[in-house]
Amino acid sequence: MPSASKDKIFGPWNRSESTGNFVYLSNNNTADNLAKMFSRTAPSSPRWTPYGSRHNSPPMPSSPLSSSPPSTLRRNYSSTFTLIPEDRELETVPQPSPPSTPATSTDTASPRVSSGRILLRLVLWWPLLLIAVAQRLLGCCMQLAWKPFLFAAPAFWLSACLWMFWKLIALPLAGLKWALVALHTPAHERNRRKRTILISCGSTIQTLHLARNFYKSGARVVVFEFEGLFALARFSTAVSKFYAIQRPTPETAGEYVAALCEIVEKEQPTHYIPVCATSPAHYDALAKPHLELRGCSSFIPGAQETSVLDDILQVMRKCQANEILLPPHQIVSSKEELHRLYDGGWLAGFRNVMVASGALGLLERSKYVLPANRRDLRLNYEVSEAQKWVVIRDVIGSHYVTCTTVKDSAVIANVTCAIQADTRSLVPEENAAIDRWLQEFFRRIRLQRPINGHISFRLVRCQCSGQIFPLGIRVGVSLPYICYTGVHSRVLCKPCPHFSRQNSGPLVQEGGRYWIHETVLNALRRPSVDAVQHLIGTVIDQREALFVYWDPLPYCAYYHFQLPFNSVKRFLHKRQASRTPVPAMAAPVQ
């Protein structure tokens, strides 16, 4: 009977424990044996496997079920079939154990590893130490190099912005300049073959006025300036060609002469007018014989004459030998002598300027305003027998600056400007005493050869005695040149043989020149009825130093580009000077 066979096989069991899908065996040894058997054969598989899952997913060959003996299907009272293995015990495959290494091999390998590590450390100790030291040094160097970049970052970005701004406006300004030339100058005048004049220092106002004067006299003007300086003359319609060359140094003097010769060969100028405002006259004097061999006359003294006129010590000796009055001065060849001047009281009560002589004065034009007290003296220059300095007492009185044109060692034109004590501005005036002093100076001082060129004198008229004393001499065109009219260019280089100086009009601008920004600022500082009247009278009676109706671009470039640029430059210099104090240098004579 089915029930009997069921009881014999499975034992007594409770029908209520059966479900529709699974059969649970309880209270039976056979059930315990089956559970043990399934736990041995398939420990990771479920205890009961549905029928559908056996047919849908066949067992993998590597599974334990595939290697078990065939099973017998038994029917229970539920509708579920269960796999029951016939064998109670299955042979288990022994797991391979890892091969055991002898204890002796382990004991012998560990000393080898430890000795190898020690040997490796001994070999690599010095290289690792050197690498660590190099890393530390590199880190310190990078930190030191990065700090100045951080300090200079504002100036760098400001310079970059100015450079980009200049590149953006250069082309429109060039087009506007061409349009002004086409409107102001007739076509036959533009196409006519003209003589060419070469002028240096294109960033200065003196050069701009020289170019305008020669342009009005019918010449073609070529200007050059050193790289890095503001090219003010480039904007002028009077300038036909503009060049930028490298600034000369004692090591690159030959390259500077070669650059000038290249410009002369290309442009074929008849005259070269060195302004010598942004560089010493020494380099232009060296280039003079080379340019004259190429047919270009240089309006500057020779190298030997320039070395005498630009050296304050040589000028003092020449004046003493020719009985020309000199201001009180002392020659110092050591710092101890300078200290003795302080201790002896010679420097007390006066403004004293120490001027370099020799090569330093010739190339650098170094000046140092001596402080009133010795403890404030910070002189970072060499004072020795080979490098002497001249201490000049600034006599109380009226100070003047001249721009003197000399031809064959004779004065042919002169402009004298008085220096105002409060504003340091230049006021042109007629001074017969200074004109006589200049004539007497060139009559007595005789150099090796007759000289041609522009020479600037800085003079003082003593308040007590009324005598005129020289405080400094420099070869070059100074700022008072802006008071010359266009007649000066015809006097300098005659345009034709029948030119007459007497019938050409005034040589110096009547009423002088004025600076619009200084005049307006002076009126705003002291607002009053007199200040307004003075401002109106200045604008009506005098001419602005830069503006002319036919050449307006330099005026705009100077007041809107160069003055702000100079203000930013002075601000950066003051900021740098506040961090690293430097000796107070006297301003160069303009």
Side-chain angles (χ1 to χ4, degrees):
M1 295 178 66
S3 61
S5 62
K6 176 176 71 68
D7 293 337
K8 288 180 181 180
I9 296 174
F10 296 100
W13 61 297
N14 191 359
R15 188 180 180 89
S16 62
E17 294 178 0
S18 64
T19 60
N21 295 325
F22 297 94
V23 176
Y24 296 93
L25 304 177
S26 61
N27 299 326
N28 195 304
N29 294 332
T30 307
D32 296 336
N33 294 333
L34 287 173
K36 291 179 181 180
M37 180 186 65
F38 275 95
S39 64
R40 292 175 184 174
T41 57
S44 61
S45 60
R47 181 171 294 184
W48 308 105
T49 305
Y51 175 77
S53 64
R54 185 176 68 87
H55 290 277
N56 294 334
S57 58
M60 298 297 293
S62 60
S63 63
L65 189 59
S66 62
S67 60
S68 61
S71 303
T72 305
L73 296 177
R74 299 288 184 180
R75 178 71 177 267
N76 58 6
Y77 287 97
S78 65
S79 61
T80 305
F81 293 92
T82 307
L83 292 175
I84 302 175
E86 293 289 341
D87 297 336
R88 299 293 179 92
E89 294 181 4
L90 298 175
E91 296 180 359
T92 59
V93 180
Q95 297 292 334
S97 60
S100 60
T101 56
T104 57
S105 63
T106 306
D107 296 335
T108 56
S110 57
R112 292 179 183 175
V113 174
S114 59
S115 62
R117 289 181 179 177
I118 293 174
L119 181 61
L120 186 62
R121 289 181 179 179
L122 290 176
V123 172
L124 297 180
W125 183 74
W126 278 105
L128 292 176
L129 178 62
L130 294 177
I131 291 174
V133 173
Q135 288 178 349
R136 293 293 180 87
L137 292 177
L138 183 61
C140 294
C141 293
M142 291 295 294
Q143 186 177 6
L144 293 176
W146 186 251
K147 285 184 178 180
F149 178 77
L150 292 178
F151 290 134
F156 170 77
W157 288 113
L158 181 61
S159 302
C161 293
L162 291 175
W163 180 83
M164 294 176 63
F165 177 73
W166 167 246
K167 292 299 181 183
L168 290 175
I169 67 171
L171 186 60
L173 287 177
L176 182 58
K177 175 184 173 180
W178 179 85
L180 290 174
V181 172
L183 292 174
H184 179 262
T185 307
H188 66 87
E189 182 68 18
R190 295 197 305 268
N191 299 328
R192 181 177 63 87
R193 182 176 178 83
K194 308 174 184 178
R195 57 176 181 154
T196 303
I197 305 296
L198 178 63
I199 308 175
S200 65
C201 303
S203 63
T204 61
I205 301 173
Q206 304 95 289
T207 299
L208 177 63
H209 278 268
L210 274 167
R212 287 174 174 176
N213 289 339
F214 278 105
Y215 176 77
K216 288 190 293 185
S217 65
R220 174 177 174 266
V221 181
V222 178
V223 178
F224 73 89
E225 182 54 288
F226 305 121
E227 297 175 352
L229 298 179
F230 187 81
L232 179 64
R234 184 194 294 269
F235 301 95
S236 176
T237 57
V239 177
S240 175
K241 203 70 172 294
F242 189 91
Y243 290 90
I245 63 176
Q246 188 178 3
R247 183 189 294 271
T249 60
E251 294 78 15
T252 61
E255 298 178 4
Y256 175 71
V257 174
L260 287 185
C261 293
E262 183 179 355
I263 295 175
V264 168
E265 291 176 355
K266 185 176 181 180
E267 301 296 338
Q268 296 296 319
T270 58
H271 294 81
Y272 171 48
I273 313 297
V275 177
C276 305
T278 56
S279 67
H282 171 72
Y283 301 109
D284 293 311
L286 292 178
K288 179 178 180 178
H290 300 274
L291 301 183
E292 290 180 347
L293 288 176
R294 290 165 173 80
C296 179
S297 175
S298 297
F299 197 71
I300 189 174
Q304 294 181 356
E305 292 78 17
T306 302
S307 63
V308 174
L309 294 174
D310 267 355
D311 190 347
I312 187 63
L313 183 57
Q314 298 291 334
V315 171
M316 293 288 184
R317 289 174 178 174
K318 288 283 185 181
C319 291
Q320 285 179 349
N322 292 276
E323 298 179 353
I324 297 178
L325 296 178
L326 295 174
H329 65 281
Q330 295 288 337
I331 300 174
V332 294
S333 57
S334 64
K335 292 186 178 181
E336 289 74 16
E337 295 181 2
L338 182 60
H339 295 164
R340 284 196 293 269
L341 293 180
Y342 274 103
D343 298 337
W346 191 86
L347 301 175
F350 296 94
R351 181 178 181 267
N352 301 278
V353 180
M354 191 166 68
V355 185
S357 65
L360 187 61
L362 191 66
L363 300 178
E364 301 294 336
R365 297 172 178 172
S366 300
K367 294 182 180 181
Y368 182 72
V369 180
L370 293 175
N373 299 320
R374 176 181 170 181
R375 62 176 178 272
D376 298 330
L377 181 64
R378 300 290 185 273
L379 186 62
N380 297 330
Y381 294 98
E382 177 189 0
V383 182
S384 61
E385 192 67 31
Q387 180 57 61
K388 296 181 180 181
W389 293 69
V390 181
V391 180
I392 303 175
R393 178 179 294 174
D394 193 358
V395 180
I396 299 176
S398 302
H399 291 73
Y400 301 92
V401 175
T402 72
C403 180
T404 308
T405 306
V406 181
K407 215 170 188 181
D408 295 330
S409 297
V411 178
I412 61 173
N414 178 65
V415 174
T416 302
C417 290
I419 303 176
Q420 293 185 350
D422 51 351
T423 61
R424 308 300 296 176
S425 58
L426 303 180
V427 179
E429 66 175 38
E430 292 286 341
N431 197 314
I434 291 180
D435 293 339
R436 289 193 300 268
W437 187 92
L438 292 173
Q439 296 286 349
E440 189 69 16
F441 177 85
F442 286 102
R443 187 183 66 83
R444 294 187 181 185
I445 301 297
R446 289 297 176 181
L447 301 176
Q448 187 174 359
R449 290 170 294 185
I451 61 174
N452 299 322
H454 294 95
I455 301 177
S456 175
F457 289 85
R458 192 178 184 94
L459 306 172
V460 58
R461 187 168 189 169
C462 183
Q463 186 177 1
C464 300
S465 62
Q467 299 289 336
I468 297 176
F469 302 112
L471 297 179
I473 300 176
R474 183 175 66 85
V475 177
V477 182
S478 57
L479 192 59
Y481 178 86
I482 65 176
C483 297
Y484 278 123
T485 62
V487 180
H488 179 267
S489 61
R490 297 179 175 90
V491 173
L492 196 62
C493 305
K494 289 185 178 181
C496 55
H498 58 272
F499 170 76
S500 176
R501 161 71 182 84
Q502 289 75 16
N503 300 328
S504 300
L507 185 63
V508 179
Q509 176 69 36
E510 296 180 0
R513 305 274 186 175
Y514 74 95
W515 303 95
I516 185 63
H517 65 285
E518 292 184 358
T519 307
V520 173
L521 287 177
N522 291 334
L524 293 177
R525 289 192 190 102
R526 302 169 184 174
S528 62
V529 177
D530 295 337
V532 174
Q533 291 179 354
H534 177 72
L535 174 62
I536 296 175
T538 301
V539 173
I540 294 176
D541 297 337
Q542 300 180 7
R543 298 186 62 181
E544 213 280 333
L546 289 173
F547 180 78
V548 290
Y549 73 94
W550 55 271
D551 192 18
L553 286 183
Y555 172 86
C556 301
Y558 180 78
Y559 286 109
H560 297 288
F561 297 149
Q562 189 167 3
L563 278 185
F565 176 77
N566 291 338
S567 300
V568 173
K569 187 178 179 180
R570 284 194 298 268
F571 170 75
L572 295 176
H573 284 176
K574 289 180 180 179
R575 184 180 179 184
Q576 184 179 4
S578 62
R579 295 174 181 171
T580 57
V582 295
M585 300 300 296
V589 178
Q590 297 292 341

